[in-house]
Amino acid sequence: MLRRTLPSSMRAVVGVKHAVDYTIKVQVKGGQVVKDVRHSMNPFDEIAMEAAVQLKEKGIVSEVVAVTIGNAKAVECVRVAMSLGADRSVHVVGDQTAIDNLETLQVAKIFAKLHEELQGDIYLMGKQAIDDDQCHTPQMLAGLLNIPQGTFAAGLTVADDKSSVTVQREVDDGHQTVNVSLPAVVSCDLRLNTPRFPNIRNIMKAKKMPVNTMKIEDLGIDLTPRTATLEISAPEARKGGGKVADVDELINKLKNEAKAI
Amino acid sequence: MLRVSLRTARWAHAKVTDADIAAFKEILGEKNVLTEDLDKYSKDWLGKYEGECPAVVKPEDAEMTSKIMKYCNEKNIAVVPQAGNTGLVGGSVPTGGEIVLSVEKMNTITSIDGISRVVESGAGVVLQSLEDALLPHNLTVPLDLAAKGSCCIGGNVATNAGGIRFLRYGSLHQSVLGLRVVTATGDILDLRNKLPKDNTGYDLKQLFIGSEGTLGIITDVVLQVPSEMKSSNVALLGCETFDGVLRTMQHARSELGEIISALEFADARSVEMSLSHTGNDHPFADGERPKYYLLIETLGSNEDHDMEKLGNFLDDVLSKDVVTGTIAQDGTQTKNLWAVRENITVSFKDFGKHNLKYDVSLPTSDFYKCVEDTQARLDQEVGKGECDVVGFGHIGDGNLHLNVISNNPNVSPSMEPWLYEWLTERGGSVSAEHGIGLMKREALKYSKPQNAIDYMKQLKKVFDPNNILNPFKVI
């Protein structure tokens, strides 16, 4: 993986996924998730976009490219990215079946393929998508490109000479700070920033901006799934709670009904 | 906390005795009669009204309700019907000595018909629960208000609640197809029609809708419900002049047409207070702080069509009166934009000890003049800088929530009856959606002629000859 000499201007590539909206009550009907519901930019990707735009406002990054891989409707995702400040966008489009069967390794491979052209200095993505919660793509992308990664970023600082980035990572027992050389993949966590609302004029402008559309089958990547979904079911409906009269009843219930003790 | 105790000489009702409590328990079962820890029932949501309450009874159906009312009517015991107790005019708590009849146990959804889009439910079903139950049928409730998580459909009907979707779904007078009501004498009036068209005699149910528990107790509601719309958009726009707001609204109505579902207004100060209270960032990241805000919501069946309509509308108004704005990009941003509007009321206590609230209806062109004239009057009568007058509300329905925030406890005399007279002059209403309750009884005459009020009193006698149902409220 040849590294360019220190760039005077950085390019940030942001991965944004057109995912089931956070506020939707997901339903399972006939063994399938009901997908004909509101979709929007994956919330963690919104955070990644905000991080990229902030870097651009500080003059650290000179160009932000938003990339989405999805069905035809996913173009809205990059339009939102452009209304927030992305300079240009790429929409890798596939039919619904192709997108449904897409696995995280293939997503990472697509980004790796796009890197040949995009040459991103920093790849920003949400830590995971809220519809599948896989949390694989950023890590795999770093592996495929053989570049370092700073994941679960709650803090992000680019070095003055733009040769590296310091990432404050959220880990189970607190924070871990790593410094990784650029180019690198950074995945963004909840507390990194608060995404802004797009300005209405920018929303209107973004509607008319061009989008570089590529067909997923033209990228020369093997899209054969390596996993098979055996079953999809909704979690059991929550039963109401109850009040107990005294400690004895509590112990009885815990022992004989809940079988917890 | 104003403890209102009206047990004066004019109290004509019987005092509740132990024998009465025993009788209640006999009729309803012990667990459905409470005599202790009654704060939840005897205090109102605003913390403004509280009345001595000897007992709370919770009938489980219309039959039990009827038996209780028969007993109370015979014994001359006053009864306050109560649903979610989220009312804003002190109409659902005792004034001192009445028992509370809570409909909370009547909380079953009896049936949902997805084809005719009709739902029958007990009066005690919480609005949010009703909405949740309708969702799998691709249906939704025809009203939405801040108290959704606690208010009950029975209470909504009894108060003819409005809310933010009034603009789209109309009034409950329209959506309610049928009711089962128990009158003060215990008579069960079963008007549970499920058909949208039924012109057979006088439409009695209309009397009970908005009667605020003074003509009968609603035990069951039959509602016509709308389809759940998949595509929704919320935009928050800023204008520098109120005329600009009005023009933008005109454009919205003609260009968004049938997909428009809410039009809410707030002035700069209301938005400032709301954001200060929640600590959220201002939605306008460009730093613009316009004088007036308009929140527009659309609900439609086709995302592409709606976006096209919205796009055309915005293209139009951005070149005219709208100086800045934003559109929510996902469910969370939608919630956050609505949160700006929804948190205005609760923020007031951060800015002043006393808050006078007026929920009024007036011609849309006079909307903001009401705020300006009120501020001018209070600057003069109470003193400059003493009161903060803000306005927000359902501008699409001509419904203004006028609020006066102050640390001065003596502002009401400068407001009432001046404000009522101001409204009457312009054909406005002293209570757009909150009702009369206890709070606005004196104001009723400003919005209704005396002979109308006399007819109301006669109707009260028809359904409640002994005046035991929610006495001292409304009329």
Side-chain angles (χ1 to χ4, degrees):
Chain A
M1 175 76 248
L2 269 178
R3 177 74 174 83
R4 294 188 294 171
T5 50
L6 297 172
S8 55
S9 64
M10 277 177 64
R11 177 177 297 134
V13 177
V14 186
V16 293
K17 183 177 180 183
H18 193 58
V20 173
D21 188 271
Y22 172 57
T23 58
I24 294 290
K25 286 189 175 101
V26 175
Q27 296 179 74
V28 175
K29 276 191 180 156
Q32 299 293 324
V33 171
V34 174
K35 287 222 179 99
D36 186 20
V37 293
R38 182 182 196 160
H39 278 58
S40 55
M41 189 187 289
N42 179 38
F44 295 112
D45 297 339
E46 287 181 340
I47 294 172
M49 255 320 293
E50 177 66 28
V53 170
Q54 285 185 16
L55 287 174
K56 191 171 145 190
E57 285 171 345
K58 287 184 190 144
I60 297 168
V61 154
S62 61
E63 195 190 22
V64 176
V65 184
V67 176
T68 195
I69 303 164
N71 62 13
K73 286 198 158 166
V75 70
E76 309 206 345
C77 203
V78 289
R79 294 225 178 269
V80 171
M82 290 192 290
S83 72
L84 289 166
D87 300 286
R88 57 189 173 99
S89 60
V90 177
H91 175 202
V92 176
V93 66
D95 64 37
Q96 193 60 51
T97 319
I99 299 304
D100 284 344
N101 289 335
L102 206 54
E103 292 173 345
T104 46
L105 177 58
Q106 292 142 356
V107 172
K109 283 181 177 174
I110 293 172
F111 272 94
K113 178 90 181 132
L114 293 173
H115 177 72
E116 288 169 19
E117 269 249 24
L118 292 177
Q119 293 289 298
D121 296 294
I122 184 168
Y123 281 84
L124 288 158
M125 312 181 156
K127 65 171 178 179
Q128 63 202 59
I130 58 164
D131 48 10
D132 53 30
D133 269 344
Q134 300 275 34
C135 192
H136 298 159
T137 308
Q139 292 87 338
M140 287 199 221
L141 176 61
L144 289 169
L145 293 178
N146 200 25
I147 61 177
Q149 57 188 269
T151 53
F152 308 103
L156 167 63
T157 321
V158 175
D160 286 338
D161 65 0
K162 298 183 188 161
S163 66
S164 69
V165 60
T166 304
V167 177
Q168 194 187 38
R169 309 178 59 228
E170 288 204 1
V171 294
D172 284 343
D173 26 12
H175 286 110
Q176 180 197 56
T177 309
V178 297
N179 180 265
V180 297
S181 61
L182 290 170
V185 176
V186 174
S187 82
C188 304
D189 208 333
L190 194 60
R191 279 159 279 277
L192 178 60
N193 57 48
T194 308
R196 68 191 65 185
F197 283 87
N199 180 286
I200 216 162
R201 286 181 209 280
N202 295 339
I203 296 171
M204 304 309 289
K205 270 192 220 142
K207 284 186 199 291
K208 303 184 181 116
M209 282 169 74
V211 174
N212 183 5
T213 312
M214 296 179 183
K215 291 210 185 116
I216 200 171
E217 52 267 22
D218 293 343
L219 293 172
I221 290 166
D222 182 4
L223 300 173
T224 327
R226 292 142 75 108
T227 60
T229 304
L230 300 177
E231 188 198 319
I232 301 177
S233 58
E236 235 183 74
R238 190 170 176 267
K239 296 191 198 78
K243 275 188 171 167
V244 291
D246 52 31
V247 176
D248 287 332
E249 200 187 335
L250 176 64
I251 294 176
N252 182 34
K253 284 203 184 248
L254 284 173
K255 205 170 183 184
N256 300 318
E257 282 181 35
K259 308 233 193 280
I261 53 168
Chain B
M1 185 84 190
L2 175 71
R3 203 188 167 88
V4 178
S5 189
L6 293 178
R7 283 170 78 61
T8 59
R10 68 188 173 104
W11 182 264
H13 302 104
K15 197 166 150 63
V16 171
T17 63
D18 287 340
D20 296 323
I21 308 255
F24 296 150
K25 288 184 176 172
E26 176 78 40
I27 298 170
L28 302 177
E30 268 221 46
K31 60 179 164 67
N32 287 332
V33 179
L34 304 177
T35 49
E36 284 176 341
D37 295 319
L38 303 179
D39 274 2
K40 174 183 149 190
Y41 303 93
S42 64
K43 285 188 188 167
D44 84 320
W45 185 85
L46 282 172
K48 212 171 156 179
Y49 297 100
E50 185 188 2
E52 185 201 316
C53 179
V56 173
V57 299
K58 303 193 211 175
E60 291 174 13
D61 56 30
E63 280 69 30
M64 282 193 196
T65 310
S66 163
K67 291 193 179 118
I68 288 284
M69 288 316 299
K70 279 200 175 93
Y71 182 91
C72 290
N73 188 44
E74 243 163 80
K75 302 278 180 172
N76 195 22
I77 292 173
V79 178
V80 172
Q82 189 183 95
N85 196 12
T86 56
L88 297 170
V89 288
S92 43
V93 292
T95 57
E98 304 98 309
I99 63 163
V100 165
L101 189 148
S102 167
V103 299
E104 66 185 49
K105 284 266 167 106
M106 295 187 264
N107 61 0
T108 334
I109 296 171
T110 314
S111 66
I112 299 176
D113 183 336
I115 298 191
S116 43
R117 298 181 308 154
V118 173
V119 60
E120 181 180 341
S121 94
V125 172
V126 172
L127 189 61
Q128 179 72 65
S129 308
L130 190 55
E131 193 182 71
D132 293 341
L134 290 171
L135 183 62
H137 300 262
N138 294 324
L139 299 170
T140 190
V141 285
L143 75 165
D144 197 345
L145 53 163
K148 193 153 81 163
S150 337
C151 65
C152 306
I153 189 65
N156 292 145
V157 174
T159 54
N160 190 28
I164 54 171
R165 297 265 159 70
F166 184 95
L167 188 72
R168 173 64 167 260
Y169 297 126
S171 133
L172 283 172
H173 279 293
Q174 183 182 319
S175 306
V176 170
L177 296 179
L179 293 175
R180 182 160 51 175
V181 179
V182 175
T183 67
T185 56
D187 195 17
I188 301 179
L189 195 50
D190 192 347
L191 303 165
R192 280 174 302 167
N193 157 61
K194 285 190 170 144
L195 310 163
K197 288 174 141 181
D198 175 39
N199 282 349
T200 52
Y202 302 152
D203 195 4
L204 287 180
K205 66 176 189 290
Q206 296 298 346
L207 284 173
F208 296 98
I209 300 170
S211 63
E212 302 183 52
T214 57
L215 292 180
I217 301 175
I218 297 167
T219 58
D220 302 87
V221 177
V222 181
L223 274 180
Q224 177 88 76
V225 290
S227 300
E228 166 87 9
M229 291 284 122
K230 288 218 186 86
S231 163
S232 95
N233 285 290
V234 177
L236 184 67
L237 307 177
C239 298
E240 281 304 329
T241 64
F242 188 70
D243 281 342
V245 171
L246 292 177
R247 282 189 292 263
T248 306
M249 254 178 62
Q250 299 293 77
H251 278 288
R253 285 190 200 271
S254 54
E255 287 164 48
L256 295 174
E258 70 282 5
I259 63 169
I260 215 175
S261 59
L263 273 174
E264 296 287 313
F265 167 83
D267 58 17
R269 189 84 182 103
S270 308
V271 170
E272 226 176 83
M273 291 189 186
S274 170
L275 290 171
S276 149
H277 179 77
T278 55
N280 287 344
D281 287 335
H282 196 290
F284 296 162
D286 59 3
E288 287 261 13
R289 298 292 176 262
K291 280 173 106 171
Y292 306 103
Y293 293 80
L294 193 57
L295 186 149
I296 301 178
E297 183 191 71
T298 67
L299 281 178
S301 53
N302 186 312
E303 227 175 292
D304 295 329
H305 289 175
D306 290 0
M307 276 320 294
E308 196 179 321
K309 278 182 143 116
L310 197 56
N312 289 339
F313 160 67
L314 289 169
D315 264 330
D316 211 349
V317 295
L318 271 171
S319 59
K320 295 181 179 121
D321 295 296
V322 172
V323 297
T324 188
T326 187
I327 306 178
Q329 298 304 317
D330 58 37
T332 309
Q333 285 193 346
T334 304
K335 280 198 171 147
N336 286 339
L337 284 184
W338 271 113
V340 176
R341 162 66 177 88
E342 282 160 5
N343 285 294
I344 297 175
T345 305
V346 297
S347 72
F348 292 149
K349 58 176 161 41
D350 299 347
F351 294 90
K353 277 203 274 254
H354 303 281
N355 170 216
L356 296 175
K357 304 168 118 41
Y358 300 97
D359 158 53
V360 301
S361 255
L362 69 175
T364 315
S365 43
D366 288 325
F367 211 74
Y368 209 67
K369 194 151 194 323
C370 189
V371 179
E372 288 165 346
D373 284 4
T374 305
Q375 183 75 71
R377 170 158 174 100
L378 294 180
D379 280 349
Q380 194 195 315
E381 300 287 311
V382 184
K384 210 159 164 55
E386 285 282 309
C387 305
D388 232 332
V389 181
V390 301
F392 64 97
H394 316 297
I395 195 174
D397 313 327
N399 180 189
L400 172 72
H401 291 312
L402 178 75
N403 280 263
V404 181
I405 302 124
S406 170
N407 283 319
N408 187 321
N410 294 317
V411 181
S412 341
S414 308
M415 285 297 293
E416 300 152 39
W418 172 82
L419 179 68
Y420 301 143
E421 286 160 2
W422 191 100
L423 290 165
T424 311
E425 264 165 52
R426 289 158 180 79
S429 161
V430 299
S431 185
E433 54 181 8
H434 295 166
I436 297 294
L438 186 61
M439 198 193 280
K440 300 190 194 175
R441 286 180 79 202
E442 303 310 309
L444 183 55
K445 61 182 182 283
Y446 288 94
S447 292
K448 286 286 185 304
Q450 189 55 46
N451 64 345
I453 298 177
D454 290 337
Y455 275 115
M456 289 185 211
K457 290 187 175 168
Q458 286 189 54
L459 281 167
K460 168 77 169 165
K461 284 214 176 74
V462 167
F463 294 104
D464 182 14
N466 296 322
N467 191 27
I468 59 162
L469 210 48
N470 228 1
F472 310 119
K473 312 273 175 59
V474 187
I475 51 162

